[in-house]
C-alpha cells in the first residue's frame, strides 16, 4: 500500500479533493512508520489549504512545509525555500500538494530537474462532479495543461469523485467510468479510488486501482 | 441536470449567467477572485462582456451605466472594495436602477484580512452611501441557497428598480458544495420603458439621474422611494424559523454562522434543552415579524455573529424589550465554535447572569 515513488506530486482541479487526498495519504504513510513530509505548493487558493492542518499533521510526525510567510491567512504566492530539503533528502517520503489549476501547477516547474523518471509520481485527481472535468475530453485537456505548466508527466490517475458527505457508491462508479476512459486514452494507470470510509467499504473489491478510505480532515463538522 | 460540485464564487457566477446577466464589471480582491475569473471565462461565451475596471469606483459606475441602459448587470467585491463602491450604490439607488452587487465579506476594518467575516452588516444594511436609500440584502447560508438567491436577486432588482446585494462571508465564496440550478418562481416583471436604450425617433429621450435641485421635487422623489421600500418589506422579507413556540433560548444567526449554530442546537437538543432559531435570509428587510412568534417564556435571545456585534441592533429593535438579548461573536476571520455556542445557550437556559 502507498508503495509509490518517493516524491508524490498531487495535482487536479480545485475541488477535486487534492488536499484531502494528500493529507489522508500522508497520514496513512506516517502510520506505516515512514518519515513523511507534506509540502503545500498551493499559491492559488486562499482557504482550505494543507497548512491549516499544521498542528494535526505535526502531531502525526509529519513535516509540513508551506509559505515562507508566516501566518495562515496570507494570499501571497510565496513558497518556502525549505521545500527543497525533503526534495533533496532521500530519507523523506514527500507529498507535494499543488495548486488547483495550470497556474497553480506553475509553482512546481521550479523543481522540475528533481523530477527524474522512477523517482517521482505525479497523480492527477479527478472528480467527475466538477463541471470543468466532467467529460474525458475536458479532463484530458486539463491534465495536459497541468503537465505543460509543471514540466512533469502524470504517472497515475485517482478517482476521487465525490459530493462531500453525501457521496454514494454510484457517484464513485460514475467517476470510475470517466477515469477509466481517460486512463485508456492516455495509457496512464488508475492508481487509487478514494472515497469516504462509509462508501469505500461498499465499493466492489475488483475495482481498478487501490481503494483509499478518506477521512474528511479539511471539513468542519458543521459543513456538508 | 443533477447536482454538480462548485466553489461558491463560481456558483454565483454560473447562477448570474443563468439569470440572464450579460455584463460584469469588477476589480479583483480575495476572497472573491474566482467570481470575476469565472465571468471573464464564461460571459464572452454567451455574448456578454466582462471588464476588469481600473478600480472599484470605476466598476460600480460602469454598472450604473449598463443598468441605466436596461441590461442585467452585476459587480462583486469584498469588504474594502464594497466600501469604495458606496458612492455608486447610492447613485444607483437614487436613479432607481436594478443591479446585483455581491460582497464576499472578509475581516476589517481597513484592509483587514482575507478570512471570513460578517463585519459588513452595518455597511450592507445601513449603507455607506449618502441619502435616504435602502437596498435589498440577501444572506444565503448554503451554496444551493446562494445560487437560488442570486437568480432571484436579478428579478427582485428589476421588479422594484433597486440595487440588490448578495452578501456571503468568505466561507460561502470559498467553500465547495453540491448545487443544482432551478428556475426561480416566475414574476411578472414590468417593462424597462425607462431605460436609455435609444429613442429610435419614437419617443422623448429617457433620462437617468439622481440630481434634484428643487427641494420639493427631491422630497417627493425620496418619499416615492420610501413607499417602494415599504412594499419590499411587505413582499420580500425572508427568514427561516425553527421551534419558536417552545424554545427556552432562541438563537439569531445568518449565513455560515447559522450553520454552526444549527450544529450547536442539535447538540443542545441531545441534552434536552429546547433551542429555537431565527435565521434572517434578508438582512434588509430585517424579519422583525419572526420575533413576535417567540414564546413568552423564552429566557433569552442569543445573537451569534462573526463580528463584535452589528446585527444585534436589529435584533434588539425586533425583540422590543420582551426578552433579554445576549451576544456571542468571533471576528477578524475566526469562525465560531459550536461548543462555545452550546456553552452560551446553557448559561442563558440556566438563568445565570
Amino acid at each position: 500500500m502507498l508503495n509509490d515513488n518517493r516524491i508524490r506530486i498531487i495535482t487536479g482541479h480545485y475541488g477535486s479533493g487534492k488536499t484531502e487526498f494528500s493529507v489522508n495519504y500522508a497520514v496513512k504513510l506516517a502510520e506505516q512508520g515512514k518519515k513523511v513530509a507534506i509540502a503545500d505548493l498551493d499559491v492559488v487558493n486562499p482557504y482550505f489549504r494543507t497548512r491549516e492542518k499544521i498542528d494535526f499533521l505535526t502531531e502525526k510526525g509529519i513535516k509540513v512545509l508551506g509559505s515562507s510567510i508566516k501566518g495562515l491567512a496570507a494570499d501571497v504566492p510565496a513558497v518556502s525555500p525549505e521545500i527543497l530539503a525533503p526534495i533533496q533528502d532521500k530519507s523523506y517520503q514527500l507529498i507535494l500538494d499543488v495548486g488547483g489549476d495550470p497556474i497553480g501547477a506553475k509553482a512546481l516547474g521550479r523543481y522540475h530537474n528533481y523530477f527524474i523518471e522512477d523517482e517521482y509520481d505525479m497523480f492527477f485527481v479527478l472528480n467527475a462532479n466538477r463541471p470543468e472535468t466532467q467529460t474525458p475530453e475536458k479532463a484530458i485537456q486539463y491534465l495536459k495543461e497541468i503537465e505543460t505548466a509543471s514540466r512533469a508527466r502524470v504517472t497515475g490517475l485517482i478517482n476521487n469523485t465525490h459530493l462531500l458527505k453525501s457521496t454514494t457508491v454510484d457517484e464513485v462508479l460514475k467517476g470510475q467510468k470517466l477515469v477509466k476512459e481517460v486512463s485508456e486514452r492516455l495509457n496512464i494507470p488508475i492508481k487509487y479510488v478514494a472515497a469516504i470510509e462509509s462508501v469505500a467499504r461498499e465499493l466492489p473489491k475488483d475495482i481498478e486501482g487501490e481503494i483509499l478510505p478518506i477521512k474528511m480532515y479539511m471539513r468542519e463538522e458543521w459543513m456538508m | 441536470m443533477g447536482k454538480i460540485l462548485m466553489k461558491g464564487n463560481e456558483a454565483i457566477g454560473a447562477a448570474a449567467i443563468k439569470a440572464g446577466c450579460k455584463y460584469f464589471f469588477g476589480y479583483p480582491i480575495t476572497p472573491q477572485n474566482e467570481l470575476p475569473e469565472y465571468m471573464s471565462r464564461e460571459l464572452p461565451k454567451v455574448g456578454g462582456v466582462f471588464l476588469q475596471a481600473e478600480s472599484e469606483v470605476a466598476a460600480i459606475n460602469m454598472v450604473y451605466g449598463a443598468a441605466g441602459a436596461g441590461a442585467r448587470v452585476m459587480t462583486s467585491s469584498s469588504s474594502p472594495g464594497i466600501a469604495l463602491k458606496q458612492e455608486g450604490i447610492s447613485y444607483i439607488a437614487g436613479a432607481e436602477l436594478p443591479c446585483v452587487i455581491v460582497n464576499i465579506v472578509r475581516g476589517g476594518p481597513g484592509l483587514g484580512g482575507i478570512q471570513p467575516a460578517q463585519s459588513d452588516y452595518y455597511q450592507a444594511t445601513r449603507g455607506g452611501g449618502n441619502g435616504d436609500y435602502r437596498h435589498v440584502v440577501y444572506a444565503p447560508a448554503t451554496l444551493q441557497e446562494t445560487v437560488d438567491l442570486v437568480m432571484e436577486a436579478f428579478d427582485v432588482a428589476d421588479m422594484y428598480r433597486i440595487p440588490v446585494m448578495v452578501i456571503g462571508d468568505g466561507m460561502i465564496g470559498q467553500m465547495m458544495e453540491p448545487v443544482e440550478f432551478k428556475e426561480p418562481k416566475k414574476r411578472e416583471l414590468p417593462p424597462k420603458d425607462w431605460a436609455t436604450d435609444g429613442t429610435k425617433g419614437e419617443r422623448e429621450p429617457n433620462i437617468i439621474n439622481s440630481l434634484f435641485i428643487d427641494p420639493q421635487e427631491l422630497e417627493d422623489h425620496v418619499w416615492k422611494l420610501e413607499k417602494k421600500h415599504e412594499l419590499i418589506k411587505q413582499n420580500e422579507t425572508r427568514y427561516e424559523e425553527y421551534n419558536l413556540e417552545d424554545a427556552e433560548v432562541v438563537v439569531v444567526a445568518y449565513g455560515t454562522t447559522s450553520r454552526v449554530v444549527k450544529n450547536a442546537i442539535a447538540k443542545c437538543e441531545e441534552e434536552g434543552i429546547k433551542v429555537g432559531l431565527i435565521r434572517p435570509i434578508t438582512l434588509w428587510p430585517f424579519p422583525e415579524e419572526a420575533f413576535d412568534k417567540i414564546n413568552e417564556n423564552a429566557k433569552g435571545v442569543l445573537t451569534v455573529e462573526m463580528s463584535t456585534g452589528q446585527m444585534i441592533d436589529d435584533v434588539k429593535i425586533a425583540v422590543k424589550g420582551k426578552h433579554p438579548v445576549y451576544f456571542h461573536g468571533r471576528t477578524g476571520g475566526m469562525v465560531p465554535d459550536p461548543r462555545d455556542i452550546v456553552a452560551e445557550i446553557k448559561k442563558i437556559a440556566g438563568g445565570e447572569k
Side-chain angles (χ1 to χ4, degrees):
Chain A
M1 176 127 179
L2 313 181
N3 207 8
D4 302 301
N5 286 317
R6 189 179 69 82
I7 299 174
R8 291 93 163 162
I9 306 164
I10 317 294
T11 62
H13 201 281
Y14 58 77
S16 61
K18 279 180 319 312
T19 297
E20 201 72 87
F21 179 86
S22 303
V23 168
N24 273 272
Y25 188 104
V27 168
K28 283 187 208 300
L29 211 52
E31 281 167 0
Q32 292 179 0
K34 303 262 171 58
K35 185 173 165 189
V36 181
I38 185 166
D40 178 356
L41 281 180
D42 195 338
V43 293
V44 175
N45 281 302
Y47 285 31
F48 304 112
R49 296 182 290 194
T50 308
R51 61 192 82 158
E52 290 174 23
K53 297 292 159 190
I54 188 160
D55 292 341
F56 164 75
L57 291 166
T58 308
E59 208 172 283
K60 296 262 175 195
I62 299 165
K63 192 172 172 67
V64 182
L65 302 155
S67 177
S68 51
I69 305 200
K70 294 294 165 224
L72 294 172
D75 54 346
V76 179
V79 165
S80 171
E82 267 189 302
I83 287 174
L84 265 183
I87 288 180
Q88 294 174 343
D89 179 350
K90 293 194 173 169
S91 68
Y92 273 106
Q93 300 292 317
L94 176 63
I95 294 140
L96 290 170
D97 178 15
V98 183
D101 58 17
I103 294 166
K106 251 186 203 167
L108 202 57
R110 183 248 172 278
Y111 307 105
H112 81 282
N113 25 357
Y114 295 98
F115 304 145
I116 301 157
E117 225 182 306
D118 297 331
E119 287 188 22
Y120 82 98
D121 272 302
M122 180 151 97
F123 297 142
F124 184 68
V125 180
L126 262 173
N127 178 357
N129 286 320
R130 286 289 291 155
E132 292 83 355
T133 54
Q134 262 179 331
T135 63
E137 292 75 24
K138 282 165 125 180
I140 288 169
Q141 193 198 336
Y142 214 80
L143 183 153
K144 295 278 178 205
E145 282 173 25
I146 285 180
E147 281 187 332
T148 307
S150 65
R151 305 161 84 177
R153 295 250 151 244
V154 172
T155 60
L157 301 174
I158 289 155
N159 175 15
N160 193 41
T161 298
H162 69 91
L163 281 174
L164 300 163
K165 292 173 189 166
S166 51
T167 308
T168 60
V169 171
D170 286 347
E171 291 292 337
V172 179
L173 295 181
K174 177 181 84 183
Q176 188 72 4
K177 241 191 223 165
L178 170 79
V179 178
K180 178 98 187 136
E181 183 76 33
V182 174
S183 165
E184 279 168 7
R185 288 202 206 171
L186 297 179
N187 199 22
I188 300 173
I190 304 174
K191 280 286 177 75
Y192 295 97
V193 179
I196 48 175
E197 288 168 331
S198 57
V199 172
R201 275 198 295 275
E202 306 297 325
L203 288 173
K205 299 288 168 265
D206 60 347
I207 197 165
E208 191 180 337
E210 197 172 327
I211 296 171
L212 195 86
I214 291 274
K215 280 197 171 72
M216 295 182 73
Y217 295 119
M218 302 302 292
R219 304 288 288 188
E220 302 294 335
E221 62 175 337
W222 51 266
M223 291 182 179
M224 280 181 191
Chain B
M1 197 169 83
K3 287 190 173 175
I4 51 171
L5 197 64
M6 290 189 96
K7 193 170 191 167
N9 286 328
E10 300 172 328
I12 292 168
I17 291 175
K18 287 234 163 29
C21 173
K22 280 280 168 63
Y23 303 93
F24 181 98
F25 307 106
Y27 188 83
I29 181 169
T30 309
Q32 60 84 59
N33 284 327
E34 296 83 357
L35 172 49
E37 194 182 353
Y38 183 90
M39 293 309 238
S40 70
R41 194 174 70 228
E42 299 298 327
L43 269 177
K45 295 182 191 168
V46 295
V49 171
F50 164 88
L51 200 147
Q52 181 171 321
E54 67 269 39
S55 72
E56 288 84 350
V57 178
I60 193 70
N61 283 291
M62 291 173 186
V63 170
Y64 184 15
R72 280 204 158 176
V73 55
M74 180 164 96
T75 186
S76 71
S77 191
S78 178
S79 310
I82 297 291
L84 285 164
K85 291 183 200 284
Q86 293 298 329
E87 177 195 58
I89 295 171
S90 167
Y91 278 48
I92 292 168
E96 291 192 86
L97 296 177
C99 69
V100 175
I101 301 149
V102 176
N103 183 6
I104 300 298
V105 184
R106 59 191 250 173
L111 273 178
I114 62 166
Q115 296 294 319
Q118 296 181 316
S119 40
D120 293 354
Y121 184 92
Y122 286 153
Q123 186 198 54
T125 61
R126 271 53 176 175
N130 62 300
D132 277 320
Y133 78 98
R134 294 289 196 172
H135 59 67
V136 179
V137 184
Y138 286 117
T142 65
L143 294 201
Q144 185 60 56
E145 192 174 51
T146 305
V147 159
D148 296 343
L149 290 177
V150 165
M151 292 175 87
E152 189 151 12
F154 283 94
D155 281 354
V156 169
D158 279 351
M159 181 129 175
Y160 299 95
R161 293 181 59 184
I162 195 164
V164 177
M165 181 175 281
V166 179
I167 197 165
D169 56 80
M171 214 45 116
I172 296 286
Q174 293 294 324
M175 190 160 31
M176 291 274 175
E177 263 173 17
V179 292
E180 62 183 319
F181 296 91
K182 299 168 286 192
E183 286 293 314
K185 70 168 188 213
K186 271 267 168 281
R187 287 171 186 262
E188 210 56 61
L189 297 177
K192 292 185 173 179
D193 51 13
W194 43 264
T196 52
D197 54 357
T199 64
K200 300 174 188 76
E202 290 163 7
R203 59 164 170 79
E204 290 297 301
N206 285 332
I207 295 166
I208 303 293
N209 183 29
S210 69
L211 178 66
F212 298 83
I213 295 292
D214 176 356
Q216 188 55 60
E217 227 182 287
L218 180 56
E219 190 191 37
D220 293 347
H221 175 65
V222 171
W223 280 118
K224 184 184 142 209
L225 295 183
E226 187 53 21
K227 263 174 76 182
K228 181 164 82 177
H229 299 155
E230 285 304 322
L231 196 63
I232 294 171
K233 278 187 194 172
Q234 282 168 33
N235 297 339
E236 306 298 339
T237 303
R238 297 263 290 270
Y239 59 95
E240 178 189 346
E241 60 168 89
Y242 173 71
N243 203 16
L244 302 180
E245 307 73 33
D246 65 351
E248 296 167 62
V249 178
V250 172
V251 188
V252 190
Y254 68 95
T256 292
T257 309
S258 71
R259 295 173 64 167
V260 185
V261 163
K262 281 183 179 178
N263 192 290
I265 290 176
K267 285 183 203 290
C268 286
E269 284 175 344
E270 282 169 22
E271 297 182 38
I273 308 166
K274 289 178 190 155
V275 185
L277 172 74
I278 294 173
R279 176 173 76 87
I281 297 171
T282 48
L283 302 184
W284 190 86
F286 191 73
E288 293 187 23
E289 64 201 62
F291 294 78
D292 295 334
K293 302 183 191 171
I294 299 175
N295 73 86
E296 286 179 3
N297 301 322
K299 289 174 184 155
V301 176
L302 173 65
T303 307
V304 184
E305 300 177 52
M306 285 194 277
S307 76
T308 54
Q310 299 191 9
M311 179 176 68
I312 191 170
D313 291 3
D314 280 333
V315 172
K316 282 179 178 165
I317 292 169
V319 164
K320 299 182 189 115
K322 286 191 265 185
H323 307 278
V325 175
Y326 302 89
F327 178 75
H328 176 72
R330 298 296 302 274
T331 190
M334 301 302 289
V335 179
D337 188 306
R339 287 165 298 193
D340 293 337
I341 299 170
V342 169
E344 293 293 332
I345 292 171
K346 282 182 176 169
K347 250 199 277 177
I348 299 165
E352 295 164 28
K353 279 279 164 275

